[in-house]
Amino acid sequence: MRLISHSTASFSFPRHGVALAVALLSSSLAAFAQTEPAALDPTPSGAPVKSLGMVTVNSGQPTSLPTQIPTTMEGVTREQIEQTINATDSEDALKYLPSLLVRKRYIGDYNHAILSSRASGTGNSARSAVYADGILLSNYLGNGVGGLSFPPRWGLVTPEEIERVDVMYGPFSAAYPGNSVGAVVDYVTRMPTKFEAHADVKRVSQPFELYNTRSTYSATQASASLGNQSGDWSWFINANHTDSHGQPLTFATRVAPTGTPGSAGTRVNGAILEPNSANVPWYILGTGTEYHTVQDHLKIKLAYDITPTLRAAYTLGYWQNTSEGRPASYLRNAAGQPVYSGLVNIDGRSFNLTGGDFALTNENLSHVMHGLSLKSHTQGEWDWEVAASLYDYRSDFKRQNAAANALPTAASGGQGTLADGSGTGWNTLAFKGTWRPQGVQGAHIVDVGVQRDSYQLRYRTSALANWLADDTGPLVSNVRGNTALQSLYAQDAWALAPRWKTVLGARLEHWSASNGLTDFSATSSQAFAARSESFVSPKAALSYQWTADTVLKASAGRAVRFPTVGELYGATSTANSRYINDPNLRPEKSWTTELTAEKDLGSGLLRLTAFTENTRDALYSQTAFDSNANLNISRVQNVGRIATKGLEAAYNGFDVGAKGLDVSASITYADSRIKENSGFVSAPGDTLGKQQPNIPRWRATALASYRFTPQLTATLGARYSGPQYRTLNNADVNGFAYQGVSKYFTADVRVRWQVSKTVTAAFGIDNLNNYQYWNFHPYPQRSYMAELKFDL
């Protein structure tokens, strides 16, 4: 049906599904039980092949994946996404994979959709690596969403482009930087072998009720693509347009005890009194941010086969976004008119409201991505690849009203700020080689590489007399800085005996930070000294063919995650938020281990994995609401040591109990605790022994898909996550509140009907049980999707 334990099917035969994959694994396991290690060689088709617990990648198409992958993998194919997932964004493809969660709050979420994994939460975007055709999409200019926002650039891939998604868990391959400590996600997009044309239209509707908000929010999406191969040339073009109106995400609040008793201020009604995440009573005064976003995406891919074994490829990606964030006050005066500012009186307590409580934002973003590669795939003694990429914030503007400029006046102009991130971006360059030594006793495949990744942050905020129209004004703040990572790696996959294989590797990294500058005004500036550090990260994996249908594997690896430009230098401030940087942050160092058993059950695959992670100097950004300053204040810091241990089980089967019924399921237990920390939140020692933020003890997924006929498929999916915390001291005990993180259980359904050879219709419901849950912001409630697709 779809997800394959250790990703055998999705890697080996992305066009065929589970049954063929299980057959491949069965034959592979049997062959390894009886033959010499020559089975390392890939199939003639060039599709990745798994044997003896290892995945071998052989493809002329660009990818970030190394030749040999020594760790747990999962994946999903284009056919599986189309049949089972109500996908509107590329991150939806990861929805049912074990231990993964993307914090997607609405369709087209461009600034908060962060990937979390076994021991990395939704506040740690720099602890995972996301690629598309080998091009880096993860945004290592910063970490998390404090101050600026740094999720992967999901918008540079649309669901209709995806051929398959490959996910590697943990930092066990020397080919990746320390950011891979959580997971590596590689999107492989389509490159046709014959003419094809596709069009897809989706409509989503979400009735939403929360506090005093009762409305229906909707999104429309249209996508079209063309592609062909003619001789040695291949090309593919995809265009996508999204118009999405999401539910409210933030709320204006006042902590009830901070109000001044008495009769001062305008008496208002409509405020909602309820406990906040720390169970302190506060008033919900209205909504803060409700995004209406209009996005356009264009992708052009070209490939030229210089020879039958040498391919040149170029990718151009363009993404633009125009969004408006608008608030709505719940407060009404005696005349029934909305109240947005000034001194108000609620239940005999007075509070002062500013323009920062009901802030308005306008954003205009235009980003461009380039990727270029030259790759050989002879499968002889040597293969090599040269790859380069560039991600450019061509223009990046965010406008916002000032705290002194409140609604309703702010709706037509007045004082505000313009934040300009234009010129920000990153570039990568890599030289990779694969050596298959001939005549050496025992099969070896050696991967080597040299890489350089460079990041540049440019973010200037100016004060404007008219926040809607002006383009220049006095300096409010200016953040600048650069980081670079130079790496050299090597790893050897060695079939040392008929039933044994090992992968040994190491990664040498030299990191530098320079040109750090923070201007707080035209007359106040702070420059930071350049820094550099070097580390070596060893990797090791060992696989053993225990029986004809069972493989055992152990993996260990070190990862060093260096501070980002934003964490070092990115001090920012708006009317309702502030981010405090630290130029002296230490790199975080993690040791991760994994012990896995995989068993072929004939019509299914079962995997059990025990994992540990020990991280020193963990880099953490925390956001807390300061009721005195009426600001969300974010700080970045090193946490002494965090230790995680856990178990993960995954099953994938076809024709389970009945022909046509495919089932996949996973369950993960993780105990992640702060063991050492010289810092604290409220009092010394208040974080020791506490649960790592955004890591639940239990999480689970399940997906069942039934083929009534070859043309009609119905799918039921479910996801569960247990209670968790957002703060380092676990003081946010009430997850079901604004700024809290709650448990959840949601169910999804999808019905897909192949109307004809060229027309497909689908209907789906996400969050079928309408579970109201939170991750700082409220997640979407029950949402209905209709889809019509045309294929030629």
Side-chain angles (χ1 to χ4, degrees):
M1 185 270 309
R2 47 144 227 128
L3 313 177
I4 308 307
S5 179
H6 217 76
S7 38
T8 304
S10 42
F11 286 94
S12 298
F13 286 94
R15 295 183 181 274
H16 297 289
V18 174
L20 194 54
V22 172
L24 170 68
L25 181 62
S26 300
S27 62
S28 174
L29 291 171
F32 258 93
Q34 301 171 18
T35 66
E36 293 300 308
L40 279 168
D41 294 336
T43 61
S45 68
V49 173
K50 178 183 173 185
S51 55
L52 198 56
M54 208 71 57
V55 177
T56 301
V57 177
N58 167 39
S59 174
Q61 189 158 332
T63 174
S64 77
L65 299 175
T67 303
Q68 296 288 289
I69 303 170
T71 185
T72 297
M73 300 193 70
E74 295 283 353
V76 61
T77 68
R78 171 171 55 89
E79 291 86 352
Q80 295 161 349
I81 295 169
E82 291 176 348
Q83 290 185 10
T84 64
I85 300 175
N86 299 317
T88 56
D89 298 283
S90 60
E91 62 265 37
D92 293 330
L94 310 177
K95 197 171 184 179
Y96 299 102
L97 289 170
S99 303
L100 298 186
L101 167 70
V102 178
R103 185 180 177 236
K104 174 185 167 182
R105 305 165 302 163
Y106 59 94
I107 294 169
D109 191 346
Y110 60 94
N111 56 5
H112 278 245
I114 291 176
L115 171 67
S116 68
S117 54
R118 292 168 177 167
S120 301
T122 50
N124 277 322
S125 58
R127 293 190 104 239
S128 60
V130 180
Y131 298 86
D133 298 320
I135 301 172
L136 180 66
L137 296 184
S138 283
N139 188 342
Y140 298 144
L141 293 163
N143 182 43
V145 294
L148 309 179
S149 297
F150 303 99
R153 311 317 299 169
W154 305 106
L156 269 298
V157 176
T158 66
E160 289 70 38
E161 290 180 76
I162 298 172
E163 185 63 31
R164 71 175 191 267
V165 187
D166 305 331
V167 179
M168 183 182 78
Y169 291 75
F172 303 116
S173 172
Y176 292 101
N179 308 88
S180 65
V181 62
V184 176
V185 178
D186 189 76
Y187 286 85
V188 178
T189 64
R190 304 173 68 136
M191 181 56 81
T193 57
K194 60 181 181 180
F195 178 77
E196 59 181 60
H198 312 273
D200 188 276
V201 179
K202 301 184 180 91
R203 175 73 175 179
V204 179
S205 179
Q206 178 200 178
F208 185 85
E209 293 188 11
L210 181 65
Y211 302 136
N212 283 340
T213 298
R214 293 172 181 82
S215 188
T216 297
Y217 301 95
S218 61
T220 302
Q221 190 174 81
S223 181
S225 58
L226 290 170
N228 197 9
Q229 181 181 34
S230 178
D232 295 327
W233 286 94
S234 303
W235 58 273
F236 182 78
I237 300 174
N238 175 261
N240 181 281
H241 177 78
T242 299
D243 188 331
S244 173
H245 193 169
Q247 77 277 4
L249 299 175
T250 66
F251 299 87
T253 62
R254 282 295 184 276
V255 177
T258 64
T260 302
S263 59
T266 302
R267 293 182 62 85
V268 295
N269 56 48
I272 305 294
L273 181 64
E274 69 158 28
N276 66 11
S277 61
N279 273 335
V280 176
W282 69 354
Y283 289 105
I284 306 295
L285 310 180
T287 67
T289 301
E290 182 182 302
Y291 281 122
H292 178 202
T293 177
V294 178
Q295 301 177 17
D296 292 293
H297 157 101
L298 177 65
K299 179 74 67 64
I300 300 175
K301 295 177 59 179
L302 302 173
Y304 177 65
D305 292 324
I306 300 171
T307 72
T309 59
L310 182 63
R311 168 171 283 199
Y314 170 72
T315 299
L316 170 65
Y318 172 77
W319 176 82
Q320 80 82 28
N321 172 37
T322 302
S323 71
E324 293 182 347
R326 293 295 182 265
S329 177
Y330 295 157
L331 305 179
R332 297 293 184 271
N333 59 20
Q337 299 299 310
V339 176
Y340 288 95
S341 63
L343 192 66
V344 299
N345 192 288
I346 305 172
D347 297 335
R349 291 179 178 270
S350 59
F351 304 89
N352 188 50
L353 306 184
T354 73
D357 289 298
F358 298 101
L360 300 89
T361 61
N362 287 354
E363 295 186 57
N364 290 277
L365 316 175
S366 178
H367 296 186
V368 178
M369 177 185 77
H370 301 272
L372 183 64
S373 69
L374 186 62
K375 182 174 183 178
S376 75
H377 49 106
T378 66
Q379 288 305 294
E381 185 171 358
W382 278 99
D383 273 312
W384 55 272
E385 179 183 4
V386 180
S389 71
L390 171 69
Y391 193 96
D392 179 25
Y393 285 42
R394 183 66 58 85
S395 61
D396 195 281
F397 301 109
K398 179 178 180 178
R399 298 173 180 270
Q400 182 171 330
N401 64 304
N405 179 25
L407 283 168
T409 305
S412 57
Q415 294 180 351
T417 57
L418 171 63
D420 182 0
S422 305
T424 294
W426 61 87
N427 60 78
T428 69
L429 178 64
F431 299 87
K432 305 175 185 179
T434 301
W435 178 40
R436 306 173 187 89
Q438 305 298 310
V440 179
Q441 184 175 0
H444 287 264
I445 297 181
V446 180
D447 284 305
V448 296
V450 179
Q451 300 168 331
R452 178 180 172 84
D453 304 332
S454 300
Y455 304 90
Q456 173 175 291
L457 180 64
R458 302 289 184 266
Y459 202 78
R460 178 188 176 94
T461 303
S462 304
L464 304 180
N466 185 334
W467 75 277
L468 287 173
D470 293 350
D471 293 325
T472 59
L475 178 70
V476 174
S477 66
N478 184 29
V479 174
R480 302 170 66 89
N482 297 75
T483 60
L485 184 65
Q486 296 171 303
S487 309
L488 173 66
Y489 73 85
Q491 68 179 30
D492 179 17
W494 176 27
L496 52 94
R499 290 174 177 255
W500 293 87
K501 179 190 279 188
T502 184
V503 177
L504 302 175
R507 183 179 182 88
L508 172 63
E509 295 175 310
H510 177 75
W511 169 83
S512 61
S514 60
N515 301 320
L517 178 69
T518 301
D519 296 331
F520 300 101
S521 69
T523 59
S524 175
S525 179
Q526 184 175 5
F528 302 98
R531 294 177 52 188
S532 65
E533 298 191 49
S534 298
F535 290 89
V536 176
S537 298
K539 322 279 184 176
L542 181 66
S543 297
Y544 173 61
Q545 187 76 52
W546 187 26
T547 67
D549 60 4
T550 304
V551 170
L552 304 179
K553 186 177 65 179
S555 303
R558 188 194 198 207
V560 179
R561 204 280 269 180
F562 296 96
T564 62
V565 188
E567 290 169 316
L568 294 171
Y569 312 127
T572 56
S573 180
T574 68
N576 52 8
S577 68
R578 181 180 301 158
Y579 181 80
I580 302 173
N581 64 305
D582 185 349
N584 300 310
L585 291 170
R586 298 179 297 277
E588 69 172 40
K589 284 82 65 179
S590 300
W591 274 101
T592 302
T593 64
E594 186 178 277
L595 182 63
T596 294
E598 289 184 322
K599 186 174 180 62
D600 171 20
L601 302 176
S603 62
L605 301 170
L606 179 64
R607 173 176 60 81
L608 180 64
T609 298
F611 58 89
T612 69
E613 181 179 295
N614 190 65
T615 300
R616 291 192 175 275
D617 293 324
L619 288 160
Y620 248 96
S621 294
Q622 286 275 283
T623 300
F625 179 71
D626 187 324
S627 58
N628 294 320
N630 193 35
L631 295 172
N632 285 319
I633 298 180
S634 301
R635 293 178 173 88
V636 60
Q637 60 186 290
N638 285 111
V639 175
R641 184 169 73 91
I642 299 177
T644 304
K645 56 185 178 181
L647 288 171
E648 179 182 87
Y651 168 78
N652 301 276
F654 68 96
D655 293 340
V656 179
K659 186 174 178 59
L661 178 62
D662 299 337
V663 176
S664 69
S666 71
I667 185 169
T668 303
Y669 169 80
D671 182 21
S672 189
R673 299 278 176 178
I674 299 172
K675 298 295 187 180
E676 301 173 17
N677 190 19
S678 60
F680 57 90
V681 178
S682 300
D686 64 356
T687 66
L688 298 180
K690 302 300 184 181
Q691 193 169 321
Q692 182 185 177
N694 297 108
I695 303 295
R697 282 179 173 268
W698 292 97
R699 67 184 90 182
T701 65
L703 196 65
S705 181
Y706 185 69
R707 299 181 300 277
F708 292 93
T709 70
Q711 294 77 33
L712 182 63
T713 303
T715 301
L716 174 64
R719 296 180 299 147
Y720 169 79
S721 175
Q724 53 191 294
Y725 301 95
R726 190 180 59 82
T727 60
L728 289 167
N729 64 347
N730 295 179
D732 51 326
V733 293
N734 178 21
F736 290 95
Y738 172 50
Q739 299 189 5
V741 185
S742 69
K743 66 178 182 180
Y744 64 82
F745 173 79
T746 63
D748 309 318
V749 296
R750 180 173 173 86
V751 178
R752 183 175 183 268
W753 177 33
Q754 186 79 43
V755 181
S756 66
K757 184 177 179 180
T758 59
V759 179
T760 304
F763 175 78
I765 305 175
D766 282 340
N767 197 357
L768 176 68
N769 51 323
N770 203 29
Y771 198 93
Q772 294 190 10
Y773 61 115
W774 298 79
N775 191 333
F776 194 98
H777 310 281
Y779 276 108
Q781 297 178 12
R782 184 186 294 122
S783 302
Y784 304 86
M785 187 182 86
E787 179 180 9
L788 191 62
K789 186 177 181 183
F790 304 87
D791 299 284
L792 295 178

